[in-house]
Amino acid sequence: MGGCGNGTQSKIFENEDRLKESGDSYSFSNKVGEITSEQGHVEFSGFSGVYTAWYLSSTSDTTTQIMISGKIKRGDFKLIQITADHQLITLWEGEGNKDMSIIVPEGEGSIKWVGRNAAGHITMKLVPQVGLEAQPHGDLFDEKE
């Protein structure tokens, strides 16, 4: 799943059509942390590309809370939501704390990280709701690079 070369991955940051696609393409210089179905905390450096943190599946239009905090020390980083109807919503960018309600339309969606040579840390917490399942991408920290 990890990618090679930052040239292509740095161009992903501004390419909304590419961000809406299902496949990930990313690289990290370093990363430590954990992502579960309800929360994630990751410190990273040299992150470029797009990484799906959570796959969302909702049996009906569902509103939930997401709490995001972090600080990007270098590069560009944003947290985005891709909805079942292929809308892209930027949830968080750069730094600070943000608690917000998000609507997860019926169907399959995702929460993704998008970076361009980014270094920093992010903490995310998603409040569970009946009919809404958040599945982490997989154990990011077991992957061999």
Side-chain angles (χ1 to χ4, degrees):
M1 296 271 176
C4 297
N6 281 343
T8 302
Q9 291 169 353
S10 67
K11 293 178 182 141
I12 291 173
F13 195 85
E14 302 293 339
N15 186 339
E16 285 196 10
D17 289 336
R18 173 60 186 94
L19 295 176
K20 293 176 187 179
E21 292 175 6
S22 61
D24 289 352
S25 176
Y26 60 89
S27 62
F28 286 91
S29 295
N30 192 21
K31 60 190 180 308
V32 62
E34 179 182 32
I35 302 174
T36 68
S37 62
E38 294 180 19
Q39 60 189 352
H41 175 77
V42 180
E43 294 183 41
F44 56 87
S45 61
F47 170 61
S48 289
V50 58
Y51 173 80
T52 303
W54 283 315
Y55 294 98
L56 304 176
S57 178
S58 184
T59 57
S60 63
D61 290 0
T62 304
T63 301
T64 191
Q65 295 292 119
I66 187 169
M67 287 73 83
I68 308 160
S69 64
K71 180 169 178 62
I72 303 308
K73 300 173 190 162
R74 185 184 72 239
D76 298 304
F77 181 93
K78 59 187 173 184
L79 189 69
I80 63 172
Q81 176 186 8
I82 305 297
T83 64
D85 59 353
H86 303 290
Q87 298 299 308
L88 185 152
I89 302 159
T90 299
L91 302 175
W92 185 90
E93 193 166 358
E95 70 177 279
N97 300 328
K98 191 169 186 182
D99 294 356
M100 61 188 298
S101 293
I102 62 170
I103 297 170
V104 181
E106 179 179 352
E108 307 290 321
S110 59
I111 303 282
K112 297 182 180 189
W113 301 345
V114 185
R116 184 168 42 208
N117 197 28
H121 63 88
I122 186 165
T123 299
M124 317 171 298
K125 183 173 182 179
L126 190 66
V127 177
Q129 300 293 332
V130 173
L132 174 63
E133 182 181 337
Q135 182 68 38
H137 176 99
D139 196 336
L140 181 64
F141 305 97
D142 281 349
E143 293 178 9
K144 304 292 181 228
E145 293 192 32

